[in-house]
Amino acid sequence: PAPTPAPAPAPSLYTQVGGTTMVADPAHPGTMIEQGYLSIRSVVDSSLLVIAADTALQPFFAVLLGEVGNGNTTGFTMLSKNVTDFFVVNAGGTDFTYTGLDMHKAHNHAQNPRMTGLAQNDDMDAFIADVVTGAQQNGVPNNIIAQFGTLMESLRTTIVQG
């Protein structure tokens, strides 16, 4: 008998959230953006706003919140881009590069002066819950949220340092 063909590989998480289809970028009128990147950036930005309102996580973002409170959004824009790029690359987006700090340095106040303190497991739990809320605000299906949850959970031992 003929061998059974191998099943097609599952589409990457990046493909599942829109992939390389080009769409208008609502943040930059007149420019186009990959739907996958836009989808992830939308969730990241919503999640950052949820995190900013989370009293359990606010202390870690004192520098950023102080800047935004004074009308300076440069740090927010940089954080949004870094987090978006990180998730895009790890979700399978091939046209992008993450150039931020590695996750250990990014979450260690001794190596990242924008971070205040070291995360504990409860902080990581709160962060993941806030990202889930940001994803739900953007209508992301639960099966996609679960895949991003698996990605975030895989970083726990690197991020939790306290």
Side-chain angles (χ1 to χ4, degrees):
T4 305
S12 72
L13 187 49
Y14 189 74
T15 297
Q16 292 177 60
V17 297
T20 58
T21 301
M22 297 302 287
V23 297
D25 184 349
H28 305 283
T31 62
M32 301 295 282
I33 187 172
E34 289 186 6
Q35 179 63 59
Y37 193 93
L38 175 59
S39 296
I40 292 172
R41 187 185 72 197
S42 297
V43 169
V44 166
D45 288 350
S46 294
S47 298
L48 290 175
L49 295 175
V50 173
I51 290 164
D54 186 337
T55 55
L57 296 178
Q58 285 175 349
F60 294 102
F61 299 95
V63 173
L64 179 66
L65 293 172
E67 291 169 349
V68 172
N70 288 323
N72 178 357
T73 59
T74 304
F76 179 88
T77 301
M78 181 182 71
L79 180 61
S80 170
K81 180 177 180 348
N82 279 339
V83 174
T84 300
D85 288 350
F86 180 83
F87 278 114
V88 164
V89 168
N90 284 281
T94 58
D95 296 332
F96 302 93
T97 304
Y98 172 70
T99 58
L101 297 172
D102 70 47
M103 290 298 101
H104 180 79
K105 290 178 183 173
H107 294 89
N108 186 318
H109 65 281
Q111 296 173 309
N112 179 6
R114 298 188 62 78
M115 185 73 176
T116 329
L118 296 174
Q120 306 283 329
N121 275 308
D122 289 349
D123 303 317
M124 183 72 176
D125 293 341
F127 174 82
I128 292 172
D130 290 350
V131 172
V132 168
T133 299
Q136 290 170 335
Q137 290 173 348
N138 284 275
V140 177
N142 287 337
N143 67 317
I144 302 291
I145 292 173
Q147 290 177 66
F148 277 105
T150 299
L151 172 59
M152 289 183 286
E153 197 57 51
S154 75
L155 300 169
R156 183 177 292 270
T157 58
T158 302
I159 291 173
V160 173
Q161 301 175 43

